[in-house]
Amino acid sequence: MAKKSAHVRSIRDVLRIHPEGVDLAKVDPAAAPVGPTTKAEAAKDLEAIGVELDRLQENLYAEGVGGGRRRVLVVLQGMDTSGKGGTISHVAGLMNPQGLRVVSFKKPTRAELSHDFLWRIRRQVPGPGLIGFFDRSHYEDVLVPRVDKLVPPSTWRARYRQINDFEAELAESGVTILKCFLHISPERQKERLVARLRTPEKLWKYNPSDLAVRAKWSLYQQAYADLLVTCSTDVAPWFAVPSDRKWYRNWAVAQLLLRTMRDLAPTYPEPAYDPAVELARLTEADPLR
Amino acid sequence: MAKKSAHVRSIRDVLRIHPEGVDLAKVDPAAAPVGPTTKAEAAKDLEAIGVELDRLQENLYAEGVGGGRRRVLVVLQGMDTSGKGGTISHVAGLMNPQGLRVVSFKKPTRAELSHDFLWRIRRQVPGPGLIGFFDRSHYEDVLVPRVDKLVPPSTWRARYRQINDFEAELAESGVTILKCFLHISPERQKERLVARLRTPEKLWKYNPSDLAVRAKWSLYQQAYADLLVTCSTDVAPWFAVPSDRKWYRNWAVAQLLLRTMRDLAPTYPEPAYDPAVELARLTEADPLR
């Protein structure tokens, strides 16, 4: 028994991108390589994860109130319809909104473009005690400009190092970074785009430019493979999350976050006062007469 | 029948602060002047409110994606233990975190103090399509500095006008503002402070300075009464929410927000493309070969 459990690979081992490289075409987006194998099982497990995450989040928040500097940043990237928004709804939705900082990065504005590409990102890093979710991120800056040749290769290549330096600096200042690439198949993307176009309440999620990006699928996959490998560091690892099935994607991101939070093991801060003394002040000498 | 319903006063009429003044000592923090009268009734109603809020929030978010500029800002103020955090947990928690922007304002940092008092506030105003919640706000700047005499009266008095101008400007740029004063009794505060001091997991919520503030209860009530009356404008009204009972407080804030969202009546944006054309492009001439 003990031997067997020692061989059970953890979700982080299984999904982690390693520096030796990754061939995304060989990573199955419909797989369930670890964890639940049915939607019902995943839903049940997600509920339990939610209870634990909620408790850990309160501890982290309390730590921040007590002067702690630690926080968590979950970066979500993936092709259109991979479910960045859905993941936030289902995973962040398990926790207290007061301790969350959810940011969606759109196409940079002219003002944002006048600064360094990390400028707008830095401004949105979650404060102490918070859990941040980035729906797209600084990784867009080594995707779109590369594929669409908006900047010379030397520029986007230099950004890998700039990103690694930036993330190392964040880690040193107390930010634990968890990066999830939501990996979908082109077939599943097609299904989801068709569903958006056939559902009146989903039309707003579609943009004709989605097809121009889809046309460059393999260029994007190569750009993703490069950034995943180059920027999967010990302090800010990348995980490839099979995302053809929404229930597996939600479960996997929640589970990765849970493992991260357990490692952090936040605890309520020791009070910087004596509760007994304060109780006496309040009950025996209430300052409010 | 019709006559009777015409006489049912809406929650906004009942809780709204009017310019003729308010004597907070005469506003019962334990009242339930409109709406449910039991915790069970409120819980049931809150669930229904949540379903509608969630739908309206998605519409507002979609509107923002479609280029709309409208957003909502809920400002929460109240004495310690009045339940600003609890309200966010229970009301914001009814919605999708992706469309939320929750910000807690602490004691201003040295950097923040080097700017105008509205500087840090402006930076946190929710973007288009979002619903923001402020746990404390710019109203702290007409409370603490006044009561503790940190600035001359002319300075904090001028801030009322500055705040009204600021909020009018926000309103003109598409921000609908809803301001809730969570009104509690000094007796209930005492109970809650004692509970915090007696519960290990709640010790982090207590700060010895809470008693110094409590000692100045009537000065704070006067400062609140003044800001409520002076800054309850048509574009950014103040509501006094009875908050001695948590279930009533949560219900009332959720109901006020629901009324606000219904008035906004956000709708999915008209697509700026022809869905039939896009469907054909995708299914008959899929750009991805």
Side-chain angles (χ1 to χ4, degrees):
Chain A
M1 291 292 279
K3 266 203 176 151
K4 186 170 176 235
S5 77
H7 282 89
V8 173
R9 294 168 71 212
S10 84
I11 184 167
R12 289 191 287 195
D13 292 338
V14 175
L15 302 186
R16 169 107 188 236
I17 299 287
H18 289 286
E20 52 269 26
V22 62
D23 182 353
L24 286 177
K26 290 189 181 143
V27 178
D28 182 4
V34 57
T37 52
T38 66
K39 189 172 173 176
E41 204 186 327
K44 202 178 153 194
D45 205 17
L46 195 60
E47 205 173 311
I49 292 172
V51 172
E52 193 176 344
L53 269 184
D54 195 58
R55 183 182 60 71
L56 288 162
Q57 183 204 22
E58 177 167 296
N59 273 281
L60 185 66
Y61 189 84
E63 203 182 89
V65 170
R69 303 292 300 168
R70 300 196 298 174
R71 47 260 157 92
V72 172
L73 173 60
V74 182
V75 173
L76 300 175
Q77 285 282 161
M79 301 293 286
D80 289 321
T81 77
S82 62
K84 302 177 286 293
T87 302
I88 289 171
S89 168
H90 288 91
V91 179
L94 297 167
M95 294 174 284
N96 184 339
Q98 206 183 17
L100 297 176
R101 179 88 177 187
V102 179
V103 184
S104 299
F105 289 97
K106 320 276 186 216
K107 194 176 158 187
T109 62
R110 190 184 287 224
E112 287 170 346
L113 285 172
S114 74
H115 292 87
D116 172 78
F117 77 102
L118 293 170
W119 178 80
R120 66 174 187 159
I121 308 295
R122 279 183 196 276
R123 293 162 54 100
Q124 303 287 2
V125 170
L130 301 182
I131 300 179
F133 281 81
F134 279 1
D135 172 352
R136 304 189 189 269
S137 67
H138 41 300
Y139 285 98
E140 290 294 312
D141 298 287
V142 286
L143 287 164
V144 185
R146 167 181 170 164
V147 171
D148 286 346
K149 299 190 170 60
L150 305 179
V151 298
S154 59
T155 299
W156 58 258
R157 277 206 194 98
R159 287 180 179 166
Y160 292 139
R161 181 183 38 76
Q162 290 159 357
I163 287 174
N164 286 344
D165 288 351
F166 168 61
E167 293 180 351
E169 180 208 318
L170 288 186
E172 281 165 14
S173 72
V175 185
T176 296
I177 305 168
L178 170 64
K179 299 182 296 195
C180 299
F181 169 61
L182 308 183
H183 186 38
I184 55 161
S185 63
E187 295 77 22
R188 185 53 54 106
Q189 185 189 58
K190 186 170 185 168
E191 283 174 29
R192 291 183 183 166
L193 288 174
V194 167
R196 286 182 180 181
L197 286 165
R198 287 193 173 138
T199 315
E201 307 82 51
K202 287 185 176 174
L203 290 176
W204 64 275
K205 296 187 177 187
Y206 179 88
N207 192 305
S209 68
D210 294 351
L211 291 195
V213 173
R214 176 171 168 79
K216 299 169 193 161
W217 188 275
S218 61
L219 291 172
Y220 271 99
Q221 294 295 301
Q222 189 52 55
Y224 264 115
D226 288 349
L227 75 83
L228 290 174
V229 170
T230 317
C231 300
S232 190
T233 60
D234 282 342
V235 293
W238 268 112
F239 298 91
V241 176
S243 299
D244 267 9
R245 292 185 289 183
K246 294 175 183 176
W247 59 264
Y248 190 76
R249 174 201 74 202
N250 295 339
W251 173 84
V253 175
Q255 182 67 20
L256 286 167
L257 179 57
L258 178 62
R259 295 299 169 117
T260 303
M261 293 292 290
R262 276 187 190 160
D263 280 359
L264 279 181
T267 52
Y268 291 114
E270 281 298 309
Y273 59 86
D274 182 338
V277 169
E278 297 298 317
L279 257 178
R281 277 179 72 197
L282 183 55
T283 53
E284 290 157 32
D286 185 353
L288 179 60
R289 272 158 300 272
Chain B
M1 289 291 280
K3 268 206 175 150
K4 188 175 174 227
S5 76
H7 282 90
V8 172
R9 293 169 71 211
S10 83
I11 184 168
R12 288 191 287 195
D13 292 337
V14 176
L15 302 185
R16 169 104 188 240
I17 298 286
H18 290 286
E20 52 269 28
V22 61
D23 181 352
L24 287 176
K26 289 189 183 144
V27 178
D28 181 3
V34 56
T37 51
T38 68
K39 189 173 174 175
E41 203 187 328
K44 203 179 155 195
D45 204 18
L46 195 61
E47 206 172 310
I49 292 172
V51 172
E52 193 176 345
L53 269 184
D54 195 57
R55 183 182 61 69
L56 287 163
Q57 183 204 25
E58 179 168 294
N59 273 282
L60 185 67
Y61 189 83
E63 203 182 271
V65 170
R69 303 290 301 165
R70 300 196 297 175
R71 47 266 167 75
V72 172
L73 173 59
V74 182
V75 173
L76 300 175
Q77 286 283 162
M79 300 293 285
D80 287 324
T81 78
S82 62
K84 300 176 289 292
T87 302
I88 289 172
S89 169
H90 288 91
V91 179
L94 297 169
M95 294 174 284
N96 185 339
Q98 206 182 17
L100 296 176
R101 179 89 177 185
V102 179
V103 184
S104 298
F105 290 97
K106 321 275 186 216
K107 196 177 158 186
T109 63
R110 190 183 289 224
E112 287 169 347
L113 284 173
S114 73
H115 292 86
D116 172 79
F117 77 103
L118 292 170
W119 178 80
R120 66 174 187 158
I121 309 294
R122 279 183 195 277
R123 293 162 55 100
Q124 304 287 1
V125 171
L130 301 181
I131 299 178
F133 282 81
F134 280 1
D135 173 353
R136 303 187 190 270
S137 66
H138 41 301
Y139 285 98
E140 290 295 313
D141 298 287
V142 286
L143 286 164
V144 185
R146 167 181 170 164
V147 171
D148 286 346
K149 301 191 168 60
L150 304 178
V151 297
S154 59
T155 299
W156 58 257
R157 280 207 192 96
R159 287 179 178 167
Y160 293 140
R161 181 183 39 76
Q162 291 159 357
I163 287 174
N164 286 345
D165 288 349
F166 168 62
E167 292 180 352
E169 180 208 318
L170 289 186
E172 281 164 14
S173 73
V175 185
T176 297
I177 306 167
L178 169 65
K179 300 182 296 195
C180 299
F181 169 61
L182 308 183
H183 186 40
I184 55 163
S185 63
E187 295 76 23
R188 185 53 55 106
Q189 185 188 60
K190 186 170 186 169
E191 281 174 31
R192 291 183 183 166
L193 287 173
V194 167
R196 286 181 180 180
L197 286 165
R198 285 192 176 140
T199 315
E201 307 84 51
K202 288 187 178 173
L203 289 176
W204 63 277
K205 296 186 178 188
Y206 179 89
N207 190 305
S209 69
D210 295 350
L211 291 195
V213 173
R214 176 172 168 80
K216 298 168 193 162
W217 188 274
S218 61
L219 291 172
Y220 271 98
Q221 295 294 302
Q222 188 53 54
Y224 264 115
D226 288 348
L227 74 85
L228 290 174
V229 170
T230 318
C231 299
S232 190
T233 59
D234 282 343
V235 293
W238 268 112
F239 298 91
V241 176
S243 299
D244 266 9
R245 292 185 290 182
K246 294 175 183 176
W247 59 263
Y248 190 78
R249 174 200 73 202
N250 294 339
W251 174 85
V253 175
Q255 183 67 22
L256 286 167
L257 178 57
L258 177 61
R259 296 297 170 117
T260 303
M261 293 292 290
R262 278 187 189 161
D263 280 358
L264 279 181
T267 52
Y268 292 115
E270 280 298 308
Y273 59 86
D274 182 338
V277 169
E278 297 298 317
L279 256 180
R281 279 178 71 196
L282 184 55
T283 54
E284 291 158 32
D286 185 353
L288 180 62
R289 275 158 297 270

